[in-house]
Amino acid sequence: MNIPIPPEGTAERWAYEYVTSESLAHKLAPPPVPAGWEEAAPARRIERPGRPSSLVIVKRARKSPGPDAIRDPARRAELVHTFLHHELQAAELMAWALLAFPEAPQAFKKGLLQIAGDEIRHMAMYARYMEGLGHAFGEFPVRDWFWERVPRSTSPAHFAAVMGMGLEGGNLDHTVRFAERFRAIGDEEGARIQEIVCAEEVPHVAFGLRWFRRFTEGLDFEAWRAHLPEPLSPMVMRGSPLNRADRIRAGFPEPFLQELDKWAPR
């Protein structure tokens, strides 16, 4: 069944065009979000995002370069290219959730748009950094890993669990680790960008925690784990070590973090 495209001048139309556009220029610098909202919007679950033919999509990503390998500017650019693509998928999936869950509170959907705007700004920072290394987005293959999993979310609570608490929570751990790695090789600009992204992800994680608590009336570790779409598990929602300071700042209770840190598959 064909679901109609959202009407022009609505946030839903902006979200639809952002997800489905095949233009990298549009992904990196979309127009402002309209103030209007669609009345009685139907659920629109877009299966895959628009991708230009120049962007090579692979099923298995190349292994990330280690601390010494990123001394090579080309490998560093390749790593940041992956970070940029993660931000792109996050922005697209915020727009996806707005369309997939029209029954969600408008405050939730407005928050999704604000977060998408932050992710797009992070993309621009990464793109400028890569340009300084002599590279551009689209030069390396990418994997739509988030898109392979996150759209299995069946409710706003599932989405808050996997994106806000899960993947963005994990990014609090990863950005600290990579900031240290960039600084260790004398790349202060790369380290600074990681620290900016980390600081701005804290409110995103807080958003996910707040809405998960509201949707489920609690913040129980096992309830959260049960809301992760298969085959996702806590293993891919954390870095090593946990960035406890920023996770607590975002609102994670210490007992939850203890459970997350020690969790292992049976």
Side-chain angles (χ1 to χ4, degrees):
M1 180 177 64
N2 292 325
I3 299 175
I5 295 174
E8 292 187 9
T10 62
E12 289 84 359
R13 179 62 170 261
W14 182 94
Y16 182 88
E17 291 182 344
Y18 189 77
V19 174
T20 60
S21 174
E22 296 182 356
S23 165
L24 287 183
H26 185 98
K27 302 285 192 181
L28 288 165
V33 179
W37 291 84
E38 182 180 10
E39 293 186 10
R44 299 177 173 94
R45 298 182 67 90
I46 299 174
E47 292 184 3
R48 61 182 62 86
R51 290 285 179 264
S53 59
S54 60
L55 191 63
V56 177
I57 309 297
V58 294
K59 286 294 185 183
R60 183 179 295 275
R62 186 180 178 186
K63 185 178 179 180
S64 295
D68 289 330
I70 61 173
R71 294 182 186 277
D72 178 356
R75 295 305 307 276
R76 203 151 70 246
E78 183 180 8
L79 177 64
V80 171
H81 191 278
T82 299
F83 296 163
L84 194 161
H85 189 61
H86 287 170
E87 298 284 346
L88 170 60
Q89 292 177 89
E92 291 171 333
L93 287 162
M94 296 300 164
W96 174 89
L98 183 149
L99 296 167
F101 308 120
E103 76 286 356
Q106 193 169 93
F108 177 75
K109 293 186 286 188
K110 286 182 176 179
L112 295 175
L113 290 172
Q114 291 171 354
I115 293 173
D118 288 345
E119 312 292 16
I120 292 166
R121 189 159 38 76
H122 296 166
M123 290 164 58
M125 288 194 298
Y126 284 139
R128 287 192 298 269
Y129 172 86
M130 289 174 57
E131 184 178 350
L133 294 176
H135 296 271
F137 186 53
E139 289 188 22
F140 302 98
V142 296
R143 183 182 177 191
D144 281 332
W145 191 88
F146 292 6
W147 271 96
E148 293 169 7
R149 290 159 174 77
V150 177
R152 297 176 187 177
S153 301
T154 57
S155 71
H158 286 82
F159 184 81
V162 68
M163 276 302 298
M165 296 173 64
L167 296 175
E168 292 192 292
N171 206 29
L172 296 181
D173 308 330
H174 301 314
T175 47
V176 167
R177 184 172 74 257
F178 282 110
E180 292 173 351
R181 290 186 179 181
F182 282 120
R183 186 159 285 121
I185 63 168
D187 187 343
E188 286 296 326
E189 176 65 8
R192 184 185 69 86
I193 292 172
Q194 289 298 290
E195 289 167 348
I196 290 172
V197 171
C198 181
E200 295 187 355
E201 292 282 10
V202 170
H204 299 179
V205 179
F207 174 87
L209 282 159
R210 182 170 67 252
W211 281 99
F212 183 80
R213 182 184 283 114
R214 178 168 170 178
F215 290 139
T216 67
E217 299 182 350
L219 192 55
D220 176 74
F221 179 84
E222 287 302 321
W224 168 70
R225 191 170 69 85
H227 277 79
L228 298 178
E230 293 288 347
L232 292 174
S233 78
M235 290 285 287
V236 294
M237 305 297 181
R238 67 189 184 200
S240 181
L242 291 184
N243 176 4
R244 274 186 153 77
D246 285 321
R247 282 180 173 272
I248 289 172
R249 191 173 296 117
F252 276 107
E254 178 57 36
F256 189 107
L257 296 181
Q258 292 174 7
E259 291 286 337
L260 176 62
D261 202 18
K262 73 180 185 182
W263 189 89
R266 292 186 178 90

